[in-house]
Amino acid sequence: MAFLRIFLLLSLLSLAFSHETFNSHVLPRPLILEYPENVEIQFKEFAEELRLQCTSWRFAAETNNFSPWKTIPQECVDYVKDYMMGRAYSIDVERVSKEAGVFAKSVKLSEDGKDAWVFDVDETLLSNLPYYAEHGYGLEIFDPVEFNKWVEKAIAPAIQPSLKLYEEILGLGFKVFLLTGRSERQRGVTVENLNNAGFQNWDKLILRASDDHAKLATIYKSEKRTEMVEEGYRILGNSGDQWSDLLGSSPSIRSFKLPNPMYYIP
């Protein structure tokens, strides 16, 4: 971690100069850094403590134990980056998708074609990690203008385990509803992005209409699920990266939370 290296260097410089007696008549001599015997141990202990603290923060965020939060902690930027860009995030997504698939295969579908699975879009089917890599992995306050510019490019890649699950769900005979917080104005680019990423043949793509924009995501998505139920659908599964994708009225029989430590949507 960059700031840890800087911290260590400053500490060593401080130690070096603390042993230097200033004499104006003595010619300058090369700086010699004397490493205290336990500095490496202290550095490792500090780094491990930070890693544990950031892991604890991520756990609390993922389990919805925090009040609404706007940004990740400054000291956890490198931790979140390493998690999202490394194998850990991939393993977590793979596990969630695998368990969702096991459940989907265990369900006996009715013959009336009313058994449904709901998918969120962002950080559930499509990854916006290229955008967040340029914005501190969640350290910056969310800027809807800048994010919408990214959405308009329609180049967000598929989250591969989610694509595999999506295809399994379709193959099993579920009705597939995509329920996203994106605006209805973004329907065209969203369809383009989904298709290019491999997501096709859904039954309905639901986006925020003009009168939905002032609603919290939990309320908006609850209302849309309730409309599905009123139309006779049984929501058996629901996949999303935010608790607001999953909680509220008309919940699914089983809900599957994908990891996302970069942002929180109430």
Side-chain angles (χ1 to χ4, degrees):
M1 300 181 185
F3 83 96
L4 286 176
R5 291 193 291 269
I6 295 172
F7 171 80
L8 178 59
L9 177 59
L10 292 176
S11 299
L12 293 172
L13 288 173
S14 176
L15 286 168
F17 283 115
S18 68
H19 290 85
E20 182 72 25
T21 301
F22 177 75
N23 291 293
S24 59
H25 64 280
V26 177
L27 292 175
R29 64 179 178 79
L31 175 63
I32 299 175
L33 294 180
E34 297 178 358
Y35 290 83
E37 293 181 359
N38 65 343
V39 69
E40 184 175 355
I41 295 175
Q42 291 178 349
F43 176 76
K44 289 181 178 179
E45 290 177 348
F46 182 80
E48 177 63 12
E49 177 64 20
L50 181 60
R51 187 187 69 80
L52 290 174
Q53 291 293 338
C54 290
T55 300
S56 178
W57 173 84
R58 183 172 66 85
F59 176 80
E62 294 289 10
T63 53
N64 205 27
N65 287 333
F66 282 142
S67 297
W69 50 278
K70 294 184 178 180
T71 66
I72 66 173
Q74 170 75 48
E75 62 272 19
C76 293
V77 173
D78 285 342
Y79 172 87
V80 173
K81 174 184 176 180
D82 290 344
Y83 172 77
M84 294 300 301
M85 300 298 290
R87 182 68 177 135
Y89 172 72
S90 298
I91 290 175
D92 287 346
V93 172
E94 288 170 3
R95 186 172 299 278
V96 174
S97 299
K98 179 180 179 181
E99 292 303 316
V102 170
F103 167 71
K105 293 171 185 175
S106 73
V107 175
K108 181 175 176 57
L109 301 186
S110 301
E111 297 180 358
D112 59 5
K114 292 290 188 177
D115 294 309
W117 196 289
V118 177
F119 287 96
D120 171 53
V121 173
D122 293 300
E123 268 60 66
T124 299
L125 298 182
L126 298 178
S127 172
N128 297 301
L129 188 54
Y131 170 84
Y132 283 99
E134 298 295 324
H135 295 271
Y137 296 91
L139 180 63
E140 298 179 12
I141 295 289
F142 180 71
D143 185 336
V145 175
E146 288 301 311
F147 183 73
N148 286 339
K149 290 179 181 178
W150 157 257
V151 170
E152 291 295 327
K153 295 178 181 179
I155 58 174
I159 297 175
Q160 289 301 318
S162 293
L163 178 56
K164 180 179 179 181
L165 173 65
Y166 178 91
E167 293 172 342
E168 288 178 352
I169 295 297
L170 280 175
L172 289 169
F174 284 86
K175 295 293 183 182
V176 172
F177 298 134
L178 309 187
L179 177 54
T180 174
R182 292 187 180 192
S183 171
E184 181 64 42
R185 297 190 300 272
Q186 296 170 319
R187 178 176 291 275
V189 294
T190 300
V191 169
E192 177 186 354
N193 198 160
L194 286 165
N195 284 334
N196 289 342
F199 299 98
Q200 300 174 355
N201 300 320
W202 58 79
D203 291 277
K204 186 180 292 186
L205 171 60
I206 305 168
L207 302 97
R208 283 184 186 258
S210 57
D211 57 351
D212 292 321
H213 285 287
K215 299 173 182 176
L216 292 176
T218 304
I219 295 174
Y220 156 67
K221 294 202 170 185
S222 291
E223 290 178 350
K224 296 306 177 183
R225 289 197 304 270
T226 297
E227 291 177 7
M228 297 175 197
V229 172
E230 291 174 348
E231 292 173 6
Y233 290 101
R234 294 174 293 275
I235 305 175
L236 302 185
N238 187 3
S239 298
D241 67 292
Q242 300 289 316
W243 285 101
S244 54
D245 298 329
L246 311 174
L247 300 178
S249 59
S250 303
S252 57
I253 301 299
R254 284 285 305 275
S255 295
F256 297 90
K257 169 74 168 63
L258 282 80
N260 182 4
M262 298 187 296
Y263 59 85
Y264 175 89
I265 299 177

